Amino acid sequence: MSTVRRWIRAAVSRKVKVLDLNFGPSSEDEVIELPKCLITCDSLESLRLFLLGRMLSLSNAGFSTLKVLEMNLVELIDEDSVKSFFENCPLLEELNLFDCLLNKLVTLCISSESLRILRIDNRNLDYTEDTPDDYDLESNMILYNNEGLCNSLEVCCPELVYFQYGGHIAYNFDFENMGSLKVAVIHPEDMSQVDLSFESMGDTICELFAGISNVEALSINLYFVQALKDRLEDRVRHVADEIDGFWQF
């Protein structure tokens, strides 16, 4: 990491605007901390991180000039620091979390006054309890157990216009100040292999759908529709049972 830090300091000294940090595979449980010189860099506008499942420790201080942040295969480990970090990136307009490991967070809270584009996509994460013998660290597939995702996703972004969510979903959603949202792309994956009932899945999808109901353009997939359909059928059966019980009484 010392060599990487020297390269980062050199880039910062040259007023870097766009920076990609791509780490190779490692068999150690390594925690990455972003150098202070990078966080305080007054020229950096775009940062992409590829950590191959390494843990990232975020400070409460965010990037003062960053407009685009993309995290790939990053494990976030402290929800309070994550929340504060996003809140303290005052110019952040685009945030992409691709295949990030969130199992150490009870709640992923993304609160930003400036964010306009948010993508959370974990479709390359595999819900598998046992690691196969031929598992390759260099593969883009990171293995999760059933506790792989955070329990809740909270989003409070008054300027957000585009929201994309793909893959396995959180169990609870809380959206606030989302009146500017215009486009939503929601493509959940089949969760039948996870210990989650169809009723719970339907409730979760309904909760998610309610939070984006004001959009002008919506893209959903079969699993989204099926979960809504199953939940609606459950409610219809419940109402029918109550009516039958009333007349029998």
Side-chain angles (χ1 to χ4, degrees):
M1 186 63 185
S2 59
T3 302
V4 176
R5 288 181 182 274
R6 287 197 295 270
W7 278 104
I8 291 175
R9 283 196 294 268
V12 169
S13 67
R14 289 165 173 77
K15 300 296 182 181
V16 62
K17 289 188 175 183
V18 179
L19 181 63
D20 290 2
L21 293 177
N22 194 335
F23 286 72
S26 174
S27 59
E28 300 179 358
D29 292 332
E30 185 177 2
V31 179
I32 302 296
E33 293 186 12
L34 298 177
K36 184 177 180 180
C37 67
L38 182 63
I39 295 175
T40 59
C41 178
D42 59 5
S43 62
L44 188 64
E45 296 181 358
S46 176
L47 175 64
R48 293 200 304 167
L49 298 174
F50 299 81
L51 299 189
L52 273 184
R54 288 177 176 82
M55 291 178 283
L56 177 64
S57 177
L58 292 173
S59 67
N60 291 331
F63 291 91
S64 60
T65 61
L66 197 67
K67 295 181 179 179
V68 179
L69 175 60
E70 180 178 318
M71 296 185 183
N72 296 267
L73 297 173
V74 174
E75 182 172 7
L76 300 176
I77 58 177
D78 182 83
E79 63 184 75
D80 291 333
S81 296
V82 171
K83 179 178 182 293
S84 297
F85 180 83
F86 291 140
E87 288 177 339
N88 291 309
C89 293
L91 300 183
L92 189 64
E93 297 179 358
E94 179 177 337
L95 174 62
N96 301 310
L97 302 178
F98 295 143
D99 302 322
C100 288
L101 285 73
L102 308 174
N103 59 311
K104 289 185 172 62
L105 308 181
V106 175
T107 300
L108 172 61
C109 181
I110 300 173
S111 178
S112 171
E113 295 291 331
S114 58
L115 196 66
R116 296 178 58 81
I117 298 173
L118 174 60
R119 298 183 181 92
I120 302 174
D121 198 314
N122 51 54
R123 276 175 279 192
N124 283 327
L125 296 176
D126 183 23
Y127 269 83
T128 306
E129 294 189 359
D130 298 320
T131 304
D133 294 335
D134 59 350
Y135 177 59
D136 183 4
L137 276 173
E138 297 187 25
S139 169
N140 284 332
M141 184 72 76
I142 296 294
L143 296 174
Y144 265 158
N145 58 26
N146 287 352
E147 301 299 326
L149 292 176
C150 61
N151 183 68
S152 300
L153 172 65
E154 296 181 0
V155 179
C156 181
C157 300
E159 298 299 320
L160 195 69
V161 296
Y162 181 91
F163 176 59
Q164 176 182 325
Y165 197 103
H168 304 296
I169 66 173
Y171 296 155
N172 299 288
F173 292 88
D174 185 7
F175 294 137
E176 296 181 7
N177 296 330
M178 300 276 279
S180 296
L181 190 64
K182 303 298 183 185
V183 180
V185 179
I186 312 296
H187 292 172
E189 284 189 345
D190 182 9
M191 297 288 286
S192 60
Q193 71 271 40
V194 181
D195 185 17
L196 185 66
S197 69
F198 283 113
E199 181 176 351
S200 298
M201 180 66 172
D203 288 339
T204 300
I205 290 295
C206 288
E207 198 173 56
L208 173 57
F209 188 63
I212 58 172
S213 59
N214 61 306
V215 297
E216 297 177 359
L218 174 64
S219 174
I220 56 178
N221 66 358
L222 175 63
Y223 296 119
F224 190 103
V225 175
Q226 185 63 47
L228 286 177
K229 175 178 175 292
D230 291 341
R231 191 64 186 114
L232 179 60
E233 290 176 349
D234 286 340
R235 291 183 177 179
V236 170
R237 284 193 294 268
H238 179 69
V239 171
D241 290 341
E242 287 187 341
I243 293 175
D244 288 342
F246 174 79
W247 286 113
Q248 290 175 5
F249 178 78

